[in-house]
Amino acid sequence: YNRGMNSVDGLSFNTAEKLSATLLEHGFPREGINILGRFIGRSGTLPTEQNRFRLYPVIYEKIVENTAIREDIPLFFLYALIREESYFDPDIVSHAGATGLTQLMPGTALDMARKMKIHPVDLEDPEVNITLGSGYLGEMLKRYGTPISALGAYNAGPGRMRRWNAEFGDLEPLLFLEAIPFRETRDYCKRVLVSSVVYGYLYRSEEHTSELQSHSFISYAVFCLKKKNKKKTRHKHYTCLPSTHIMLQLTHSNQHLL
């Protein structure tokens, strides 16, 4: 996969843009998002409105909407988690064995399937995967109460989150985020929070606006971007740069939400 992605580096921006659109239209969102994000990041240009929607697509709408309502999860939060976990690729498997759109580990998936009475458990089936993943995310949100703690538990496991809550759970949420000892988990939380706000901005509605205000997603995401922009390291994926541009536009036009 990485060799294939590197082979597009010689394309012009216009060709890469068309290739990305074609891949998204034909059911290859991971490749389409990666190529477009890579070229926009390298060019340093602001993504056009059309490209913003390509970078943050809504796919499997009916399944995502139904499960978000059932599990009482903000819709844009669930889209953000799926995007950051899998770039909407239902067949993706990590080296650790996490599978499908919401990147569930087999053990976690089986536990959720028993609770939700789902059989058989085919994690490459979009409906099964999103149903189980959203059930698990909903459980983490109910158990821990904040998006940061729920994401931390989703990524690093409930056992670690219980330990962290015992050690520094009385910290304000953003300080709590920075106190998480695993860089991978901190970065994961930040990526999903930023994507949550970008989704809320792009597909904005009254529901999105009220969710943004009640969960303070914008404040979290602006903080995450400030921390990320101070780093000088080379990022493996380039989609952080388009998200920064979109977030800057969002914060300029929505100062009253901060």
Side-chain angles (χ1 to χ4, degrees):
Y1 179 81
N2 288 334
R3 280 200 300 273
M5 285 299 298
N6 289 336
S7 69
V8 305
D9 285 349
L11 299 177
S12 69
F13 183 86
N14 286 342
T15 304
E17 197 175 35
K18 289 173 186 172
L19 175 60
S20 170
T22 302
L23 287 165
L24 282 159
E25 285 164 17
H26 288 84
F28 298 95
R30 179 162 68 118
E31 293 81 358
I33 294 167
N34 262 323
I35 288 169
L36 186 58
R38 192 179 186 110
F39 275 81
I40 290 175
R42 287 182 172 182
S43 70
T45 58
L46 286 169
T48 63
E49 183 175 8
Q50 192 173 38
N51 282 340
R52 290 175 210 151
F53 285 99
R54 287 174 182 154
L55 287 167
Y56 293 86
V58 292
I59 304 174
Y60 307 110
E61 295 100 315
K62 205 69 189 160
I63 303 170
V64 176
E65 285 172 17
N66 289 341
T67 54
I69 291 167
R70 185 171 61 243
E71 301 299 336
D72 195 24
I73 300 169
L75 179 61
F76 63 87
F77 189 44
L78 184 53
Y79 271 122
L81 179 131
I82 295 169
R83 181 191 188 272
E84 297 307 321
E85 288 284 5
S86 65
Y87 278 4
F88 297 95
D89 181 349
D91 304 318
I92 192 169
V93 182
S94 74
H95 1 275
T99 302
L101 293 165
T102 62
Q103 286 290 277
L104 284 174
M105 294 296 288
T108 303
L110 287 172
D111 285 346
M112 290 307 303
R114 278 192 288 271
K115 290 176 187 176
M116 301 176 82
K117 297 181 170 48
I118 292 174
H119 183 79
V121 182
D122 178 3
L123 287 179
E124 292 184 4
D125 178 295
E127 185 165 9
V128 170
N129 192 290
I130 292 172
T131 299
L132 294 174
S134 62
Y136 186 54
L137 178 62
E139 193 176 283
M140 296 302 101
L141 277 167
K142 289 181 184 77
R143 186 181 302 179
Y144 296 108
T146 71
I148 289 172
S149 293
L151 288 172
Y154 192 99
N155 179 261
R160 290 193 179 98
M161 184 50 64
R162 276 195 300 274
R163 193 158 66 245
W164 297 337
N165 270 331
E167 289 175 12
F168 45 84
D170 54 345
L171 291 175
E172 184 268 329
L174 296 180
L175 293 176
F176 180 88
L177 173 58
E178 287 304 304
I180 290 173
F182 294 171
R183 180 177 174 180
E184 179 189 337
T185 301
R186 289 196 307 272
D187 289 349
Y188 170 80
C189 293
K190 292 172 186 180
R191 287 198 311 274
V192 176
L193 290 168
V194 170
S195 286
S196 298
V197 178
V198 174
Y199 269 107
Y201 172 59
L202 292 177
Y203 301 93
R204 51 195 177 277
S205 65
E206 281 182 28
E207 180 193 4
H208 280 134
T209 302
S210 66
E211 285 172 343
L212 285 170
Q213 289 171 316
S214 63
H215 289 278
S216 300
F217 277 104
I218 290 182
S219 297
Y220 293 165
V222 170
F223 172 82
C224 295
L225 281 169
K226 284 177 180 174
K227 293 289 293 184
K228 182 160 60 176
N229 290 341
K230 286 179 181 176
K231 294 179 183 176
K232 302 296 182 185
T233 54
R234 181 180 177 84
H235 290 274
K236 184 177 177 184
H237 296 296
Y238 293 88
T239 46
C240 58
L241 289 172
S243 71
T244 303
H245 294 320
I246 295 169
M247 278 296 303
L248 285 171
Q249 292 169 332
L250 169 64
T251 53
H252 285 312
S253 58
N254 294 275
Q255 289 291 338
H256 63 289
L257 294 181
L258 300 180

